[in-house]
Amino acid sequence: MLEIILFSLLNGILYGLLLFMLSSGLTLIFSMMGVLNFAHASFYMLGAYFAYTLGMHTGFWAALILAPILVGVVGSLVERFGLRRVHVNGHVAELLFTFGLAYVIDELVQLTWGTVAVPYREPDYLREPLFTLFGTDYSIFRGVVILISILMFVALWYLLKKTRVGMMIRAALTHGAMVGHLGHNVPRLFMLVFGFGCALAGLAGVIGGPLLATEPGMAATLGPIVFVVVVVGGMGSLPGAFYASLLIGLLQTFFVAIDASVADILGIFGLQIDPYGEVARITLANLAPMTPFILLVLMLIFRPRGLMGELEP
Amino acid sequence: MLKPVRTLVTASLLLAGSAVSAAETVKLALIDPLTGPMAAAGQPAFEHLKLEAERINANGGLNGAKLEIVGLDNKVNPQESLVQLQKAINDGVQLVTQGNGSSVASALITSVEKHNRRNPGKEVLYLNYAAVDPAFTNERCSYWHFRFDANADMKMNALTNYIANNEDIHKVYLINQDYSFGHAVSKSAQEMLKQKRPDIEIVGNDFHPLAKVKDFTPYVSKIQASGADAVISGNWGQDITLLVKAAAEFGLKAPFYTYYGASSGVVTQLGDKGVDRIYQINEYYGDFEDPEMAKRQVEMYEKTNWDFYYLRLSTMLDMLKAAADKAGSTDPKDLAKALEGLSIETPTGEVTMRAEDHQIQLPMFISVMKDGMKYGAEGTDYNFHKVAEIARDDVTLPTTCRMRRPN
C-alpha cells in the first residue's frame, strides 16, 4: 500500500508540474490580454515536435533550450501579425482566431511529421534508474523533469516579482491603460508576454513529449485539461493555477490507483443511493479521466471565481 | 406483365455490371483509423494491402480483374465508419475490410446485413482482418462477414496453454481496454486459467478507456504493488505501446503476454528493456524462416517504412483471389459462396475458412522480443522470436453460430 501511495504521489506531482508549466503561460496571457488562447496546447505540441527534429542534430540538451525559444518566436509572430490586428475587433474575434489557429497548427503538424507518433525519446542515459524503491525504478529523466519544473517556477516568480519587466507586467495586468500613459510600450509588452507564455508551453512539450507520446493528438488531449486548470485555479491567478495543477495531477493518479467503486466510497459515509448498482458500480479508476471535468463543473457551481481568482469569470 | 420485363432488365444490368468489373477493377475499401492516436494500427494495414494487391495483380488479379485498395479513415469511431461505409457503397465498392476495433466491426456487421437485405443484387462483403470479439462468429454470426484472424477466445486458448505450462507463474494481472473486446479478453483469461491452472491467482483486473490514456504509470505502480509475475493484455495501437513503455521505464520485471505486443512503435520505444519481456500470440512472428517471406518483409519496410506485420492480410487477399478464380466471378455473392470452406496453403501452413461460422482456422505462434535478430523490426536489431507453435487443431474452438444463409 505504501509503495502505491508513494509512487502515486511522485507521479501525481510530476503530472501536476507539467500541467502547471502549460497553464502558467495560458493564465499569464489571459490575465494580461484577456485572450483565452485556444491554441495554447498546440504550442505545447509544437515544442515536442521541434525538440524531436532539433534533437536529431543538436542532441537533447540543446533542443531543451532551442525548441522553447523557437516556439516563443512563433508565438510572438502570431501575436504581432495576427492577434494584434484581430484585437481591434474585440474578444470574440480573438477567441475565434486562436480557435482557428489551433486547427491550422494541428494540420501543419500532420503534414510535416505525419499522422502517427514520432519516436521522440529522452537520451538513453536518462532512462537509467535514479533510485529503486520497492523494486520500482524511478528514472533519472523523471527527476530531471521535476527539477526543470521547479527551476522554471522559481525563475517565473523571480521574473514577475523582482525585475523591472515583471513590475511592468504586473502593472499592465490591472492598469494596462495607465502603464501605456506612463510611456511604456504596452503592445510590445503584450507580444513578449504572449511569446513567453508560448515558450513555456513549448518547454512543457519538450519534456512532455518523451514522457507521454509525441503525436498529432497530443494537443487535443491536454488542451481541455489546461483550461480546467485555469478555471479551477481562478482566472488569471498564477498561484491558483499552481495549486489546481497539483490537485488535478494527484486526483487523476490516485483515482487510478485506488481499487474502489463509487458505491464503496458512498458506503463509507453510510449512503445507499443506488440500490440497483447501475451508476455506483463505476470504479474510481474508470472515473479518473473524467475527474478534471467533474472538478470544473463543481467549481463553476459552488465557487465560480476559482480557488484563488479575484474576478468572476 | 411488368415483372418479367423488370427481371430481364435487372438481369441484363447485372450481367453488364459483372462483365465490366471482370474486365476492369475491383475495389476493396479499408475502413480503419488512418489518422489520430490509433493510426499506427491502420496505416501499416493500408500499406500492406496496397503492396500485396500489386502482387495479386501481377499474378492475374481476381479472376482477371485488377484489385484496387481504397483507404477510408474512420478514427476508430463507429458512426464515422458507417458514414465511410455509405460513401464506399455509393462509389460502387462491394468489398470492405476493417480490423481495428470490435466496436466498429459490430456497427459494420449490422449495417452490411441491413444493406444486403434491402439491396439484393448489390450485396456488400465484409472481410474482417482483426476485430476479434468472439461474438461475431458465435451468437452474432453473419453470412456476409468473414474473419481472417483468430478470435479473442482462440488466442486466449493458445496463450493460456502456454502459461499453464510455466510453473513459475502464480499471480497474473489483467489489464485491458474498456470495451467489448477488452472485456472478452479478461473474461476468457479468467475462465481458461481457472480451468487449466486453478492455483493461479488473478491479482488485478483493470479496464482503462480506449485510446485516451497517455500516461500508464499509475497502472504500472498498481501492477508492481500487486506482486504479479505475469501480465496479460489485449491492448492494441497506442494503448499497448504506451503501456509497455511505462512498464519498462519503471523496471517492471513481470513479462507481458499480449495479443499485439509487436505493434508498430513497441520495439522502438522499449529497446533493450523489452527483451525477453514482451510475448505475443499471433499468426506470424518476426524471425520467420521462409526466405521468400524474409524478402517480402525487407521489401515492405524499404518501400513503406512499416513492418510486415499483418500476414493475415496477405492470407485474406490470397483467399479472395482463390475464391474469385474458383467462382469465376468477383460478385460478392459468388465470392461468399466460394469462400465458405475454402482452404489454401500459406507460409505458416494450411488455413481454412470454416463454413459454419466464417471463422478462419489457422496455426498460431507465441513469440518473444529478442536482440540481435537477422531481420530487425522498425530498422532496429530487435524482433520477435518464435518460442512455441500451436497447431491448428489446438487453436480451434467450437461455435454456437446458426448461420442464416440467403436462398
Side-chain angles (χ1 to χ4, degrees), chain B residues 153-351:
Chain B
D153 286 349
M154 293 161 75
K155 291 186 184 189
M156 190 52 78
N157 192 20
L159 205 55
T160 45
N161 279 343
Y162 183 76
I163 292 175
N165 288 328
N166 188 337
E167 293 297 329
D168 295 336
I169 296 178
H170 303 287
K171 289 176 171 181
V172 170
Y173 200 103
L174 311 174
I175 176 162
N176 288 292
Q177 294 151 324
D178 196 5
Y179 76 113
S180 60
F181 161 67
H183 285 268
V185 171
S186 163
K187 189 168 147 257
S188 62
Q190 292 176 55
E191 283 171 7
M192 289 177 182
L193 281 177
K194 198 170 166 189
Q195 189 196 343
K196 293 171 190 171
R197 276 279 301 279
D199 61 308
I200 286 185
E201 188 191 345
I202 308 284
V203 291
N205 183 20
D206 263 337
F207 296 102
H208 64 80
L210 174 68
K212 292 240 161 54
V213 182
K214 302 288 149 171
D215 184 10
F216 276 96
T217 49
Y219 295 96
V220 171
S221 312
K222 245 172 120 178
I223 297 174
Q224 182 76 281
S226 74
D229 38 31
V231 182
I232 296 180
S233 175
N235 279 13
W236 54 275
Q238 183 188 270
D239 288 336
I240 184 72
T241 319
L242 296 181
L243 172 67
V244 293
K245 177 188 161 196
E249 214 187 306
F250 282 88
L252 191 69
K253 299 287 180 300
F256 275 77
Y257 291 90
T258 69
Y259 279 27
Y260 306 108
S263 296
S264 52
V266 170
V267 163
T268 318
Q269 288 286 354
L270 290 189
D272 237 7
K273 296 196 165 174
V275 171
D276 287 333
R277 221 180 263 169
I278 309 295
Y279 289 80
Q280 170 175 257
I281 173 82
N282 197 7
E283 80 282 0
Y284 192 59
Y285 51 94
D287 65 341
F288 197 78
E289 300 88 353
D290 189 341
E292 162 69 19
M293 296 306 290
K295 215 178 84 193
R296 265 198 255 171
Q297 281 189 32
V298 173
E299 186 194 350
M300 172 146 174
Y301 188 74
E302 274 176 3
K303 275 194 184 161
T304 67
N305 247 331
W306 291 106
D307 278 323
F308 190 95
Y309 173 77
Y310 294 109
L311 177 68
R312 50 184 179 271
L313 283 176
S314 308
T315 307
M316 181 175 98
L317 293 189
D318 284 336
M319 286 188 102
L320 200 61
K321 176 174 165 56
D325 294 351
K326 185 172 121 189
S329 151
T330 56
D331 186 77
K333 235 174 150 172
D334 302 331
L335 285 177
K337 198 182 266 174
L339 273 173
E340 285 201 314
L342 181 70
S343 286
I344 66 163
E345 273 304 322
T346 73
T348 60
E350 196 194 34
V351 304

Side-chain angles (χ1 to χ4, degrees), chain A residues 3-4 7 11 110 115-116 119 121 127 135-139 142 210-213 215 221 253 256-257 259 286 289, chain B residues 34-36 39-40 43 178 207 209 214-215 217-219 221-222 224-225 238 242 245 249-251 268-270 273:
Chain A
E3 54 192 295
I4 292 194
F7 274 96
N11 293 330
Q110 293 196 20
T115 54
V116 297
R121 287 167 43 179
R127 289 155 65 93
T136 305
D137 296 339
Y138 202 77
S139 70
R142 286 179 180 258
L211 221 46
L212 306 172
E215 40 105 9
T221 23
T253 355
V256 172
D259 247 327
N286 283 342
Chain B
L34 300 178
T35 64
Q43 283 286 357
D178 196 5
F207 296 102
K214 302 288 149 171
D215 184 10
T217 49
Y219 295 96
S221 312
K222 245 172 120 178
Q224 182 76 281
Q238 183 188 270
L242 296 181
K245 177 188 161 196
E249 214 187 306
F250 282 88
T268 318
Q269 288 286 354
L270 290 189
K273 296 196 165 174

Side-chain angles (χ1 to χ4, degrees), chain A residues 59-71:
Chain A
F60 176 75
W61 296 102
L64 181 71
I65 312 282
L66 291 176
I69 294 177
L70 208 58
V71 176

Side-chain angles (χ1 to χ4, degrees), chain A residues 274-292:
Chain A
D274 186 18
Y276 302 106
E278 285 299 326
V279 179
R281 198 185 48 204
I282 299 170
T283 62
L284 288 185
N286 283 342
L287 277 184
M290 250 189 279
T291 44

